[in-house]
Amino acid sequence: MKALVYKKPELMALEDYPDPVLASGEVIIKIESSGICGSDMHAYFGHDPRRMPGLVMGHEVSGVIHQSASPLYKPGKKVTVDPLITCGFCSYCRTGRDNLCENRTMIGMNRPGAYAEYMAIPAASVVPIPEDMPHRVAVLTEPAATVVHALSISEARMHRPVQEQQVLVIGGGAIGMLMALLLTSRGVRHVDLAETNALRRVSAAEHLPARIIDPVDTPPAESSYNFVVDAVGRKVTRDMAIQALKPNGVLMHMGLQDWSSEVDMRKITLAELIVLGTYTYSYADIQATVQALHDQVFGDLGWVEYQPLADGPGAFAMLARHKIRAAKIVLQP
Ligand SMILES: [Zn+2]
Ligand SMILES: [Zn+2]
């Protein structure tokens, strides 16, 4: 089969790659769509020790069961996946926090991923989708589940309902867009989205019922938001988030570009800020997200761009140079 292989930092190539072999308890999916994730971009620059050259990346999937060694799925069924392969028996798995499974692995990281014509995965990680759900929509399940999970963690810590909050989303990439869309569709009236890339601001303004700001020209006002989502995760955005939060406000830290930096611990302490981390999604979050996407909670997704898998090397290069307005590129074999 053809697959997009990560050759070395800043080089992807479409190559012949061994077909996946059907193993006990697994299925082989014929990939119809696979999205390029920010974490794959991170690896593309050589910044991810977990994703090494030779790997087929890709963990945002929509496809059809091609072969099955599981009684759960027959060939022809439309599916997406939970890219995390979890053990099912550790204390996290047994308490619905399977995203934190102590024995987890992941497709596109520990085993070949979805930038290919076919991919093998345990049947337990497969998530069925409605037959009338287009692959171009279902492929957004994984990134959308990330924001569904992050928002549910955040809401649990808010003093008042999220609908009453002044919200700032930092970053107009796919995660920032999906978070802003989820918030507005849930009835949050005051959502500001901060994005430094002018091309992305134009796209966001077309597709998002939110106020779009350039934080360089118009820095968010100090202590004016109850809830800030950092969908970038650099020192500059963390500092922006903390200064923008009202006392007892909630910071949801989702992006992870800089792994560490000094932050204003004085404000965090004295203003009783609530700083939250998040990692992926549970299987239940993914199921809820399939339903939400099917119900068009995330709008028409007109800001997503679709390209042939064969154009994958060019798509990565364009994303790397920020020469693109699409916040998400989906590859189609
Ligand atoms: Zn991802
Ligand atoms: Zn586990």
Side-chain angles (χ1 to χ4, degrees):
M1 67 169 181
K2 293 288 183 198
L4 191 63
V5 181
Y6 169 50
K7 302 298 288 180
K8 63 176 186 180
E10 300 192 43
L11 184 65
M12 305 287 282
L14 191 75
E15 293 187 343
D16 288 316
Y17 196 85
D19 286 334
V21 177
L22 186 63
S24 159
E26 298 201 350
V27 300
I28 292 174
I29 296 174
K30 180 178 187 298
I31 306 294
E32 298 291 346
S33 293
S34 59
I36 298 180
C37 174
S39 63
D40 292 336
M41 288 308 299
H42 202 69
Y44 176 76
F45 287 116
H47 294 163
D48 187 346
R50 304 165 304 177
R51 292 175 170 93
M52 300 305 285
L55 181 67
V56 176
M57 297 193 281
H59 53 265
E60 303 177 3
V61 182
S62 183
V64 174
I65 300 287
H66 176 65
Q67 289 176 16
S68 175
S70 160
L72 294 173
Y73 298 103
K74 290 195 165 52
K77 178 80 195 91
K78 281 172 92 166
V79 297
T80 183
V81 306
D82 179 347
L84 300 179
I85 297 166
T86 56
C87 74
F89 55 76
C90 73
S91 62
Y92 289 98
C93 282
R94 286 173 185 270
T95 50
R97 298 173 292 169
D98 38 301
N99 58 316
L100 300 175
C101 171
E102 291 167 354
N103 306 302
R104 68 178 184 266
T105 56
M106 189 176 178
I107 61 165
M109 188 189 300
N110 310 94
R111 54 190 283 161
Y115 299 145
E117 293 178 286
Y118 297 94
M119 180 190 77
I121 191 167
S125 293
V126 171
V127 183
I129 63 172
E131 286 304 314
D132 64 349
M133 191 169 182
H135 292 296
R136 56 179 292 281
V137 173
V139 71
L140 271 293
T141 300
E142 192 269 356
T146 305
V147 308
V148 166
H149 180 73
L151 184 55
S152 74
I153 295 178
S154 304
E155 282 188 289
R157 304 299 300 276
M158 286 174 188
H159 191 63
R160 299 284 308 172
V162 68
Q163 285 78 8
E164 298 176 13
Q165 315 281 309
Q166 304 283 333
V167 183
L168 172 65
V169 177
I170 303 173
I175 295 298
M177 286 291 289
L178 289 164
M179 178 59 89
L181 286 163
L182 182 60
L183 288 163
T184 52
S185 79
R186 292 254 179 104
V188 182
R189 301 289 178 190
H190 301 281
V191 179
D192 292 351
L193 180 99
E195 168 60 51
T196 54
N197 179 333
L199 291 171
R200 283 200 172 158
R201 280 202 303 278
V202 172
S203 175
E206 279 172 20
H207 298 285
L208 205 57
R211 194 169 77 102
I212 315 298
I213 59 173
D214 176 357
V216 178
D217 286 355
T218 317
E222 195 175 336
S223 300
S224 52
Y225 296 90
N226 315 92
F227 179 39
V228 177
V229 178
D230 184 350
V232 179
R234 298 178 57 194
K235 173 167 172 47
V236 62
T237 56
R238 284 195 272 270
D239 289 347
M240 186 189 301
I242 289 165
Q243 75 91 30
L245 275 170
K246 289 185 181 187
N248 210 204
V250 174
L251 166 57
M252 168 42 72
H253 192 259
M254 297 189 73
L256 203 49
Q257 294 200 16
D258 299 340
W259 287 6
S260 67
S261 67
E262 238 174 55
V263 293
D264 184 353
M265 288 309 296
R266 181 174 184 275
K267 178 164 180 185
I268 290 174
T269 305
L270 300 184
E272 295 193 4
L273 299 188
I274 298 164
V275 179
L276 300 174
T278 183
Y279 178 70
T280 64
Y281 28 71
S282 65
Y283 189 91
D285 290 319
I286 296 224
Q287 287 178 309
T289 305
V290 167
Q291 185 64 52
L293 278 164
H294 193 233
D295 292 342
Q296 299 187 348
V297 164
F298 296 93
D300 67 359
L301 304 174
W303 47 276
V304 179
E305 215 173 279
Y306 299 84
Q307 296 187 10
L309 179 66
D311 293 348
F316 270 83
M318 292 287 281
L319 284 167
R321 278 182 268 121
H322 301 288
K323 281 277 167 11
I324 210 149
R325 73 182 234 149
K328 169 67 72 186
I329 294 183
V330 170
L331 300 175
Q332 298 172 314

